[in-house]
Amino acid sequence: GTGSNILSALQDLFWLLKSKVEKQLQIISVLQWVLTFLIMGIACTLILMYILCTDCWAIAALYLAWLVFDWNTPKKGGRRSQWVRNWAIWRYFRDYFPIRLVKTHNLLTTRNYIFGYHPHGIMGLGAFCNFSTEATGVGQKFPGIRPYLATLAGNFRMPILRDYLMSGGICPVNRDSIDYILSKNGSGNAIIIVVGGAAESLNCTPGKNSVTLRNRKGFVKLALRHGADLVPVYSFGENEVYKQVIFEEGSWGRWVQKKFQKHVGFAPCIFHGRGLFSSNTWGLLPYSKPITTVVGEPITIPKIDNPSQKDVDFYHSMYVDSLIKLFDKYKSKFGLPETEVLEVN
């Protein structure tokens, strides 16, 4: 009896230690991505400039020469690495929240797609985990489909960061890059565009389901020009993982944010999550709230080389209706009341 009690106690201790280790690995994996998102580009640029001023300047010079040679690669679909996309760190990243990808319809490999991802949140954590890694099984759920998450083109001017992003299948959200992927890269491509962008991030806050979409029609025009089907995607819980200070329209804070957005491409937010060692303190780590990303039914789009504004408005209206229906169908399954309404701005 004593021996079995000792064995049972050792087993309990082992599972307790394993659970703590896994939790720490989850925290490290998320912290790594948050720091990448916030400072990796600037840090790598400064380090490269410093190396140029040292005895190791040749290393930096060789990288800069490679950078010039490789400058247009992001515009041509990038350089994805299945090895990087399958890193174990992304599974710990997934389990921290946790993040889940829900498939509702099959996608044909003979077609190309533009996914509209909503909402942006602070960092688009669900978009990154689901479409730039294999942690939630996007490759298994949509076999034969190559996802490309589109983000600010400025990120691809940063040394090292650009290569890191491309390894996950991330591309610049500009016309050159999207045109190339949808016209010169065969079929079975899916470009994920976070439609609301920086403007939407300024209004994200826990408990609020709102998207910036009414006047965002450029992605519909691109879809028509290439005959790429539109797919609405809603990520329940994306707004729950950070809290931010919301500046009212007309305030000095909102004025500063809009100026940054206009001239730099992103809007600075004052936000916080939890601390590194305690969920009761403030810090940069997101709160561990579930994020469930639902990929809706594709909308078949005809190929029109020069779509009129009437064409764009028609298919944009179809897209908005489809997104609202997707939200209404799944909201109660993921913790929202039946009375919750998606606010479309």
Side-chain angles (χ1 to χ4, degrees), residues 31 34-35 38 123 242 271-276 282-286:
L31 180 63
V34 170
L35 294 178
L38 294 176
M123 296 185 186
Y242 278 112
F271 66 92
H272 74 84
R274 51 155 291 182
L276 183 59
W282 288 10
L284 289 176
L285 278 175

Side-chain angles (χ1 to χ4, degrees), residues 178-222:
I178 295 172
D179 282 347
Y180 184 92
I181 292 170
L182 295 180
S183 64
K184 299 180 181 179
N185 201 39
S187 59
N189 303 292
I191 297 179
I192 297 89
I193 299 176
V194 186
V195 178
E200 191 172 85
S201 69
L202 297 179
N203 295 313
C204 74
T205 187
K208 186 174 183 179
N209 288 283
S210 104
V211 296
T212 301
L213 182 58
R214 289 291 181 200
N215 297 315
R216 299 293 176 108
K217 300 180 180 181
F219 73 106
V220 178
K221 190 172 184 178
L222 281 169

